[in-house]
Amino acid sequence: MTAGLIAGPLGTTLSSMASSQEVVFGQSAPLTGPFASLGEGYRNGALLAFDEANKSGELGVRRVRLVTLDDAYTVNKAVVNAKALMEEHRVTCFFNHMFTNTVRATLPLAVDAGIPFVGAYSGHPDLYRNDQPLLFMTRASFAQELHRILDYLVSVGYQRTALVYYDNAVGEELRQEVESGLVQRGRPLFASAKMPVGGSAVPAARGTADKDIDAVVLGVSGSDAVAYLRMQQAGGRRPAYFARSLVGSAQLHQELGADAAGIIISQLVPSPFKPTLPVARSYLRLLAQRDPRALPTFVELEGFINARLMVTALRKIEGAVSRESLLRALSAVGRTEIGGFAVDFEGSNRNGSQYVELTMLRRDGTFAQ
């Protein structure tokens, strides 16, 4: 699927779907640049679910179409995309937008237009205040992920922890939170180093080269995390590595191979490698139909679950689907399960999930829990 393409359900053509039946959701995501692997995964997981719902007749005469536009993790492009989704594509919902800076830039546009904003791939505290009725968060927050990582890191006895983070405002917020969290647990932040998005990893590698460092928290993602880890390995440094879910675990394995083994990553959906929940089994079945050789990924499963949430909401709507009726349907979801995965939008709550689990990347690209 090329960047900026209108992504209809997999295996269907847009001309085969009558416009009167369509429900159009809009996504701005990085399909190029350092986070392209994550953007593609989040989109493709959702497409699996929407395609299945369309083919099965689960939504009656309705058909969901997802329009995905590439923002390359650039705020200006994300804003342009959001305006195009509203004005040209007339979307009913902003769905699965990705990353903090671009989400925070496009959310006000959605609020002004009365468009529900669902499944943002971010965990920034600004998005968890429950003060935006149109905003439905479907993943646990950055703070919840970080607390779980720091609790484990301290409990197993690591004493000298370093942080690699982005040279921007969000990165500085992370540095402050890691430092405060470690101090609360009786540990100092031993070292920290920053790097630019999509830039050189050399300064970050030099800033965390101290041989006494025994653990590193990765606050960078995608190709940036890969570049940093390669420099660490080239220098013969082998501390324990910890990362939040948005690091891009599948990309780490794809590009680093067995050298990525042992990285501990927080995940915000259950493991697709140990599919105990029906939603994970459904995802695996559809993934195998798409590509029997494909490894499942957490980001695809997360996109899949979000799409199943939207299908659940659409089934509650009688009559025409509009931004207003979709908002009412999402608000009526309440406490429910999406194939066994708990979601809670009871009352005015808009923080739908508290799920956090630590996993360790294995040599073969699967995960231990």
Side-chain angles (χ1 to χ4, degrees):
M1 203 79 67
T2 58
L5 188 67
I6 297 177
L10 297 175
T12 60
T13 61
L14 299 185
S15 61
S16 68
M17 297 182 294
S19 60
S20 61
Q21 298 175 320
E22 285 185 349
V23 179
V24 185
F25 297 152
Q27 178 185 28
S28 182
L31 302 181
T32 56
F35 309 131
S37 178
L38 287 164
E40 291 169 357
Y42 211 39
R43 174 199 63 187
N44 290 345
L47 287 174
L48 282 176
F50 288 143
D51 187 38
E52 174 74 358
N54 289 341
K55 288 180 178 178
S56 69
E58 182 178 4
L59 294 172
V61 298
R62 294 172 183 153
R63 298 291 184 272
V64 176
R65 178 160 61 92
L66 177 63
V67 179
T68 298
L69 302 179
D70 178 25
D71 59 35
Y73 186 65
T74 302
V75 168
N76 289 343
K77 287 185 178 179
V79 170
V80 170
N81 288 351
K83 291 178 179 178
L85 292 170
M86 289 189 298
E87 297 166 5
E88 297 174 27
H89 300 285
R90 307 295 298 171
V91 298
T92 306
C93 177
F94 281 177
F95 173 76
N96 277 13
H97 284 220
M98 298 189 73
F99 295 108
T100 299
N101 290 339
T102 46
V103 166
R104 289 202 294 185
T106 55
L107 176 60
L109 300 177
V111 171
D112 288 345
I115 301 175
F117 201 107
V118 183
Y121 192 79
S122 174
H124 194 276
D126 284 356
L127 306 175
Y128 290 79
R129 296 193 301 238
N130 268 326
D131 60 354
Q132 296 284 5
L134 291 162
L135 176 63
F136 292 80
M137 297 301 296
T138 56
R139 60 191 343 249
S141 68
F142 286 161
Q144 289 170 304
E145 286 191 85
L146 186 60
H147 292 167
R148 186 72 180 271
I149 288 171
L150 295 182
D151 281 346
Y152 177 80
L153 186 153
V154 170
S155 72
V156 298
Y158 292 106
Q159 299 290 328
R160 294 172 295 279
T161 299
L163 168 70
V164 177
Y165 63 103
Y166 279 124
D167 186 10
N168 57 27
V170 174
E172 176 58 24
E173 290 172 3
L174 174 63
R175 188 198 64 76
Q176 293 176 15
E177 190 169 0
V178 170
E179 183 171 35
S180 173
L182 284 170
V183 168
Q184 290 171 13
R185 292 165 175 82
R187 299 279 197 278
L189 178 59
F190 187 78
S192 63
K194 53 191 174 183
M195 64 181 290
V197 175
S200 173
V202 172
R206 287 176 178 167
T208 55
D210 192 310
K211 62 181 177 59
D212 290 330
I213 292 172
D214 57 9
V216 175
V217 176
L218 297 170
V220 296
S221 302
S223 299
D224 296 326
V226 170
Y228 169 76
L229 290 167
R230 280 182 173 149
M231 295 212 68
Q232 286 285 89
Q233 290 160 1
R237 294 180 285 276
R238 293 279 181 175
Y241 293 104
F242 297 83
R244 296 172 300 175
S245 57
L246 46 64
V247 70
S249 51
Q251 185 175 0
L252 295 183
H253 171 69
Q254 290 164 2
E255 299 196 31
L256 297 174
D259 288 337
I263 299 174
I264 294 174
I265 304 170
S266 56
Q267 306 290 358
L268 304 187
V269 293
S271 175
F273 298 95
K274 191 177 179 182
T276 57
L277 297 185
V279 70
R281 293 195 293 271
S282 295
Y283 160 65
L284 290 177
R285 173 178 57 82
L286 295 170
L287 177 65
Q289 292 175 8
R290 188 186 76 192
D291 182 357
R293 298 171 298 176
L295 270 179
T297 68
F298 285 91
V299 70
E300 272 201 354
L301 177 56
E302 187 174 345
F304 184 86
I305 290 172
N306 289 352
R308 287 302 310 169
L309 169 67
M310 300 306 294
V311 170
T312 298
L314 286 172
R315 292 178 63 183
K316 292 180 176 292
I317 299 175
E318 297 182 2
V321 177
S322 65
R323 296 167 180 176
E324 295 78 12
S325 65
L326 181 60
L327 176 60
R328 289 193 297 270
L330 286 164
S331 302
V333 164
R335 294 179 183 174
T336 190
E337 290 188 352
I338 307 298
F341 183 77
V343 173
D344 181 8
F345 292 122
E346 187 76 17
S348 61
N349 180 48
R350 293 295 185 263
N351 302 331
S353 176
Q354 311 298 316
Y355 185 96
V356 183
E357 183 172 44
L358 294 184
T359 63
M360 184 176 70
L361 187 55
R362 294 189 177 113
R363 294 174 65 88
D364 63 356
T366 62
F367 289 80
Q369 294 173 274

